[in-house]
Amino acid sequence: MDFKLTEEQLAVRDAARDFANNVLLPEVTDRDKHARFPTEEVKQLGELGFLGMMVDPKYDGGGMDTVSYVLAMEEISKVDASTAVVMSVCNSLVAWGFERFGSEDQKEKYLKPLAGGKITGAFCLSEPEAGSDATSQTTTAIDMGDHYLLNGTKNWITNGGTAGVYIVMAQTDREKGHRGINALILEPGMEGFIVGEKEDKMGIRGSDTHTLLFNDVKVPKANRIGEEGFGFKFAMQTLGGGRIGIASQALGIASGALELAIKYSKERKTFGKEIYKHQAIAFKLADMATKVEAARVMCLKAATLKDQGKDFELAASMAKLYASTIAQEVTSEAVQIHGGYGYVREYHVERMMRDAKITQIYEGTSEIQKIVISRAILK
């Protein structure tokens, strides 16, 4: 595959890099410390077109390719993974789901403000007992004729307390199994729709993660995405693209930690010379750089396949599995290279190590990716 970047793609990467360094970096440690959502920063991100990058311009999107999205995600994640996950959910899950499967009315009402950066979105699949297993949904949407009556709970929902639109998976006909699931659109303020307390997380502390509760919420039939029973296919196809976003986030965390480790190794001296001149540190940096580059190639391959209209799901799962694994390894080594300074907030790498762990968990755990990959290669 030819990964030579176009001038347009390089411009997107550079714009994301500038935004990350000039807008996100100054307050990133404070946002992490106080678990503060980057409200103003996300607003600016939307105004620059980074929340609807791949959406058709007729719906106020950027009309960009997936490769550009991967490049931008890496740059944002290098500095602030909490903001990056907001960007990932809005682009990969909510906006893509609306554009690919939504009706024209739904696109006009929800996709346009999302792609134009006026609102953010939330993708609601995980449950306390089901995780990301769409076939085990306990949230129900009973068909009442002209509307559904929604009851249940969703947890670990990114943008849960700040989104302007929510896509919720719910079971309508349990006897039909995965063919009885629907994807429904909710708006904040609907009667019976309750946002629970914000989660106090180990990493990505600036992101807005909540449990959502539904108590007899009336959802109009016009708010169903696709035909009756389409919800399972909607979730599976949307999550495939979502894995590219999370792989890119993991890549960004790792590459950001690598850059900081290289910088520190040129500043810190021991035994009369900079520590990068010690073979033990040089070998660590070599291993870290190789892993980051391999993850980058895997992310770009998945993105290129998606842009070419080819089957990208295996490549996306491989990229997500590998990038999230090396993000843990590279950030841990970055802390080790920093020594005691790596263990304090000021030097960023301790936050990156905490942020990296979640990339192995959401959009399907590493174990789920291995199941997807093994099934594909063993067919």
Side-chain angles (χ1 to χ4, degrees):
M1 282 187 169
D2 182 10
F3 295 140
K4 183 178 179 180
L5 302 178
T6 66
E7 290 185 7
E8 291 79 6
Q9 290 167 340
L10 290 171
V12 170
R13 183 198 65 185
D14 292 346
R17 181 179 296 167
D18 289 344
F19 180 83
N21 289 321
N22 296 324
V23 178
L24 296 178
L25 183 57
E27 298 292 329
V28 65
T29 301
D30 185 72
R31 289 194 298 274
D32 174 74
K33 180 179 180 180
H34 298 289
R36 178 165 57 84
F37 184 77
T39 303
E40 184 57 34
E41 292 82 0
V42 168
K43 180 181 177 182
Q44 293 181 51
L45 196 69
E47 291 170 349
L48 290 171
F50 284 112
L51 298 186
M53 293 182 66
M54 297 170 286
V55 175
D56 192 304
K58 71 179 181 180
Y59 300 118
D60 295 341
M64 302 178 206
D65 58 12
T66 315
V67 169
S68 295
Y69 169 57
V70 167
L71 297 172
M73 275 292 298
E74 179 182 352
E75 294 301 326
I76 299 297
S77 303
K78 280 182 182 180
V79 173
D80 185 1
S82 293
T83 299
V85 75
V86 177
M87 179 176 161
S88 177
V89 169
C90 288
N91 277 285
S92 296
L93 300 180
V94 186
W96 189 84
F98 272 125
E99 184 169 27
R100 181 73 183 276
F101 302 112
S103 67
E104 282 302 315
D105 287 343
Q106 291 168 352
K107 291 175 185 178
E108 286 290 327
K109 187 174 182 180
Y110 301 110
L111 180 57
K112 273 192 171 182
L114 179 68
K118 295 179 176 61
I119 61 171
T120 59
F123 186 84
C124 310
L125 174 62
S126 294
E127 296 187 357
E129 301 298 326
S132 295
D133 180 6
T135 60
S136 300
Q137 299 292 295
T138 59
T139 297
T140 58
I142 305 304
D143 191 336
M144 304 298 289
D146 63 342
H147 68 275
Y148 295 98
L149 202 61
L150 185 68
N151 283 279
T153 303
K154 298 291 181 180
N155 66 345
W156 315 121
I157 305 303
T158 299
N159 303 336
T162 54
V165 60
Y166 299 76
I167 300 178
V168 181
M169 308 304 141
Q171 187 86 48
T172 297
D173 190 337
R174 194 166 299 282
E175 291 185 0
K176 292 183 179 180
H178 70 274
R179 295 183 178 86
I181 296 171
N182 282 310
L184 304 177
I185 303 166
L186 269 69
E187 299 175 21
M190 282 183 162
E191 187 175 354
F193 178 15
I194 301 167
V195 177
E197 291 294 316
K198 183 177 180 178
E199 300 290 351
D200 187 9
K201 306 185 298 293
M202 177 177 78
I204 57 167
R205 289 175 52 77
S207 70
D208 189 33
T209 308
H210 290 260
T211 293
L212 306 180
L213 301 97
F214 314 109
N215 184 17
D216 286 344
V217 181
K218 293 183 178 179
V219 184
K221 283 284 183 72
N223 283 30
R224 184 186 69 215
I225 298 177
E227 298 298 320
E228 182 72 37
F230 180 68
F232 178 79
K233 288 185 177 179
F234 173 84
M236 293 303 98
Q237 293 191 42
T238 304
L239 285 173
R243 287 174 187 133
I244 296 177
I246 298 308
S248 304
Q249 182 191 26
L251 165 63
I253 295 170
S255 61
L258 172 61
E259 289 181 4
L260 290 175
I262 291 172
K263 181 176 182 291
Y264 183 78
S265 75
K266 293 179 179 180
E267 298 170 348
R268 173 69 168 169
K269 290 184 178 182
T270 60
F271 304 104
K273 59 184 177 180
E274 293 84 358
I275 63 173
Y276 78 89
K277 293 179 180 177
H278 296 291
Q279 195 175 70
I281 301 300
F283 281 9
K284 283 182 184 293
L285 293 171
D287 286 339
M288 293 159 70
T290 301
K291 291 173 180 178
V292 168
E293 186 60 22
R296 183 176 291 117
V297 170
M298 295 180 79
C299 289
L300 289 173
K301 177 183 178 180
T304 300
L305 289 172
K306 186 171 182 287
D307 287 335
Q308 293 175 346
K310 297 178 181 179
D311 186 355
F312 64 88
E313 295 213 11
L314 175 59
S317 288
M318 286 180 167
K320 198 270 185 185
L321 172 63
Y322 184 75
S324 63
T325 300
I326 68 101
Q328 277 281 282
E329 295 171 356
V330 170
T331 54
S332 179
E333 288 288 56
V335 170
Q336 192 73 18
I337 289 170
H338 279 73
Y341 292 108
Y343 212 64
V344 297
R345 294 180 188 273
E346 180 183 355
Y347 284 77
H348 298 292
V349 288
E350 67 85 28
R351 169 174 50 83
M352 291 175 167
M353 187 171 73
R354 288 185 285 108
D355 288 348
K357 185 59 188 177
I358 192 62
T359 65
Q360 293 183 303
I361 298 172
Y362 55 21
E363 302 300 330
T365 64
S366 295
E367 290 74 21
I368 290 175
Q369 303 315 310
K370 290 178 182 180
I371 292 172
V372 172
I373 294 165
S374 62
R375 284 177 177 173
I377 65 175
L378 293 172
K379 277 185 179 180

